[in-house]
């Protein structure tokens, strides 16, 4: 979970609260502060403001759902802008595979007409690669395009953590 705090900024056009990124995890459940806008998503090449709605969460598909769905679901590009007149907070809960999970789409989603888009990898490998680059570089999944080396979804046993 991340609790994001964006202070007021006298010149909001000069910076971002969070630069453009996709989320490296599987799914994000985001709570926005009521009445303070800041989240934007990229749709058809344009940044669209996602106005906070009372009693609603924003659900973002992350990179792992894109990979597990063999790129049928898209991990959304998003960013947070800051405001000159008010601070803002958001609370993001990240659903993540365990580090040893092998990420690879189920066989049914890999066909002749729709070959595997990404090679399989462990979440640990992905997560390290993700944070070794700038957030707003090219989509991190682009670095995992290629031959399939495992099959069958999230398959590695996960150690329970305390
Ligand atoms: O503050 C927001 O609305 C976005 C937060 C976010 O994208 C993140 O924590 O990954
Ligand atoms: Fe995010």
């Amino acid at each position: 979970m991340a609790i994001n705090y964006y202070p007021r900024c006298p010149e909001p056009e000069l910076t971002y609260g969070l630069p453009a990124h996709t989320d490296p995890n599987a799914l994000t459940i985001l709570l926005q502060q009521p009445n303070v806008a800041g989240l934007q998503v990229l749709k058809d090449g344009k940044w669209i403001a996602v106005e906070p709605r009372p009693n609603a969460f924003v659900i973002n598909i992350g990179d792992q759902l894109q990979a597990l769905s063999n790129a049928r679901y898209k991990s959304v590009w998003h960013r947070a802008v800051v405001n000159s007149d008010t601070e803002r907070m958001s609370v993001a809960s990240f659903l993540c595979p365990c580090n040893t999970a092998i990420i690879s789409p189920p066989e049914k989603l890999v066909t002749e007409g729709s070959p595997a888009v990404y090679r399989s990898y462990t979440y640990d490998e992905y997560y390290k690669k993700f944070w070794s680059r700038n957030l707003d570089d090219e989509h991190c999944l682009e670095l995992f395009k290629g031959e399939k080396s495992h099959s069958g979804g999230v398959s590695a046993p996960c150690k329970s953590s305390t």
Side-chain angles (χ1 to χ4, degrees), residues 3 9 12 14 22 27 37 50 66 69-70 89 93 97-98 100 103 116 119 127 139 144 157:
I3 300 180
C9 176
L14 296 184
T22 61
L27 196 78
V50 181
Q66 179 164 333
S69 69
N70 202 22
M89 285 181 81
S93 295
C98 68
T100 54
I103 308 298
R119 70 171 175 82
Y127 202 71
H139 202 306
F144 289 79

Side-chain angles (χ1 to χ4, degrees), residues 65-77:
L65 272 185
Q66 179 164 333
L68 284 168
S69 69
N70 202 22
R72 281 170 172 75
Y73 292 129
K74 305 294 182 207
S75 172
V76 67
W77 279 98

Side-chain angles (χ1 to χ4, degrees), residues 4 15 24 35 38 41 51 56 59 62 72 77 82 85 92 97 104 118 144 156:
N4 301 303
T15 191
N35 304 318
V41 295
E51 303 292 338
I59 310 293
R72 281 170 172 75
W77 279 98
V82 285
D85 54 344
S104 156
Y118 310 109
F144 289 79

